[in-house]
Amino acid sequence: MTLRIDIGCLPSGRVRFAASPLAELTAMLHVLAEPGHHPQLAGWAGDVRAGLRPELAERLREAEFLWRSSQADFLIPARPRPTLAEELDDVDRIDDETYVTAALVTTCGGNRVHFAAPSPLSDATARERALDLAQARGARQEAFAERLLADPAAARARVRHTLEQCAEAFFDAAWTGVAVQLAADLRLKNDLLKRQGIGAALASVSGAVTLAPASDFIIVDKLQDKSTAARGTGVTFIPSVFGRPHLVAVHAPGWQPVVQYPVAEPSPSEPVSLETVTLRLEALAHPVRLRLLRTLARGPHTNGELAHAWELSPPEVSRHLAVLRRAGLLTARRHGRYVRYTLDLPGLTALGADLLAAVLR
């Protein structure tokens, strides 16, 4: 399971390492929405949540689908700017169809495809599909999708205002210290890129990021087998302190490839490959069950969503989910006519830190 980024014939200087305030804010928001993914930041998350004004806390809950299971592509900028305000201005320049499509693909937990999907603003079938998926994800997500489709300008302005309020509430204070760590990492990466080439720079990013032998592809260990091209536009690597252990990749059609990677800990351990993790865990030796587990690591999903994402029959997915539940790795909760399955993080953590890092990656 890999993402392949075609960099063949890419002009010199088009592989960039740069810090992004908006991408780091997005990583912080993910920590607040999914604290179980980031036990090392539990204290920070608790302090921030305790200090949030009720109005802002509610705004974060209503929009958390943009950064909880995965991150909306427009929140991980391909051309980082020095300030959050400048990056939000760039987001404002995105047309409504591109913005809404990216937001709903993310919020609905959809499977990104190789071709450009029709916009739910102009295509009735895509609109119906988006609303159906949103309904399955819960009342807040359904309401968010309906507002976004009914009045994109108002919904977009509300999201921007929410992010600006986050800057005042906690981001600006955290960014002061984070920026120093990111600058140190960028000095290392750009020095390696200049002196030893892209292969050495990628090796310092993560054991999950490699350069193909012919140096024409960057290979990233991710959830699904996908490919994208960086010809002409380049590819951007963005370091993150709050993003650990996630490796976030933007690769949807129409978007410049971006990889947000976690800054190394003071004493980083050697990443364990997904193949090694599979061998260690007999209960997850079946590749379909391992894929389902990694999908569920992004957030709760219904049987139907999993079947659609992996092009499987619902009965086949049900059989695999039953095996994972018997292993104590999943919980199920009914919401109306939907049953949502959730990864049991404590159970997964007990199996080993290597497994947790590989699955959450």
Side-chain angles (χ1 to χ4, degrees):
M1 293 181 284
T2 60
L3 166 65
R4 293 167 59 85
I5 304 174
D6 186 351
I7 58 170
C9 302
L10 191 66
S12 176
R14 292 298 178 88
V15 175
R16 308 179 188 89
F17 286 84
S20 163
L22 178 56
E24 194 65 14
L25 171 56
T26 301
M28 293 180 188
L29 292 170
H30 173 75
V31 172
L32 294 176
E34 286 285 8
H37 289 188
H38 309 271
Q40 76 280 10
L41 294 170
W44 175 86
D47 290 343
V48 169
R49 286 196 298 270
L52 289 178
R53 291 182 292 104
E55 178 192 359
L56 179 55
E58 178 58 31
R59 279 176 172 251
L60 292 181
R61 283 190 290 269
E62 75 177 22
E64 70 176 7
F65 316 104
L66 293 174
W67 49 73
R68 182 170 187 169
S69 296
S70 59
Q71 289 72 41
D73 290 336
F74 51 77
L75 295 176
I76 314 292
R79 296 186 178 277
R81 307 289 189 180
T83 68
L84 178 64
E86 290 174 285
E87 292 185 325
L88 291 176
D89 287 343
D90 286 344
V91 173
D92 287 344
R93 297 185 184 99
I94 300 171
D95 64 85
D96 283 346
E97 290 201 349
T98 301
Y99 184 103
V100 171
T101 301
L104 292 180
V105 164
T106 299
T107 63
C108 297
N111 182 13
R112 289 191 172 97
V113 292
H114 292 278
F115 53 86
S119 167
L121 285 179
S122 56
D123 184 272
T125 301
R127 181 187 184 91
E128 182 178 358
R129 175 65 178 164
L131 289 173
D132 284 345
L133 286 172
Q135 184 183 49
R137 307 296 288 165
R140 279 200 179 95
Q141 180 151 1
E142 181 181 12
F144 178 86
E146 288 176 344
R147 287 195 300 272
L148 189 60
L149 291 169
D151 191 345
R156 293 178 62 169
R158 185 174 176 85
V159 170
R160 172 165 183 156
H161 187 223
T162 299
L163 297 177
E164 290 171 337
Q165 287 183 310
C166 289
E168 297 175 7
F170 60 86
F171 174 74
D172 288 347
W175 177 250
T176 301
V178 166
V180 175
Q181 294 176 262
L182 299 182
D185 181 82
L186 289 172
R187 283 194 295 270
L188 171 63
K189 299 296 189 292
N190 284 306
D191 184 66
L192 287 171
L193 187 63
K194 178 181 178 180
R195 297 177 182 276
Q196 300 183 39
I198 185 174
L202 293 179
S204 71
V205 167
S206 168
V209 181
T210 57
L211 186 65
S215 299
D216 54 347
F217 280 92
I218 296 172
I219 301 172
V220 185
D221 173 29
K222 288 298 293 178
L223 174 63
Q224 297 162 350
D225 291 314
K226 295 292 180 184
S227 62
T228 187
R231 293 194 185 96
T233 59
V235 57
T236 302
F237 287 84
I238 298 175
S240 174
V241 171
F242 280 77
R244 187 183 305 119
H246 300 304
L247 193 66
V248 179
V250 173
H251 57 84
W255 297 89
Q256 180 177 325
V258 183
V259 176
Q260 184 186 36
Y261 64 91
V263 170
E265 297 179 271
S267 299
S269 58
E270 186 67 22
V272 176
S273 70
L274 187 59
E275 290 76 14
T276 301
V277 172
T278 304
L279 291 174
R280 289 178 178 177
L281 204 65
E282 293 183 1
L284 296 173
H286 197 294
V288 171
R289 292 199 290 273
L290 190 54
R291 291 188 178 201
L292 293 177
L293 187 71
R294 295 187 78 183
T295 303
L296 290 164
R298 303 170 63 202
H301 286 69
T302 65
N303 183 87
E305 286 178 309
L306 293 168
H308 175 77
W310 291 108
E311 298 181 350
L312 299 169
S313 69
E316 184 178 1
V317 172
S318 293
R319 289 194 294 272
H320 287 302
L321 292 177
V323 173
L324 292 170
R325 289 188 69 187
R326 285 196 296 270
L329 296 175
L330 299 182
T331 59
R333 178 173 296 181
R334 179 170 292 279
H335 295 265
R337 62 191 181 95
Y338 298 100
V339 175
R340 291 212 287 266
Y341 295 88
T342 303
L343 180 66
D344 187 301
L345 280 171
L348 188 66
T349 303
L351 292 171
D354 292 338
L355 172 63
L356 183 66
V359 169
L360 294 181
R361 189 163 61 217

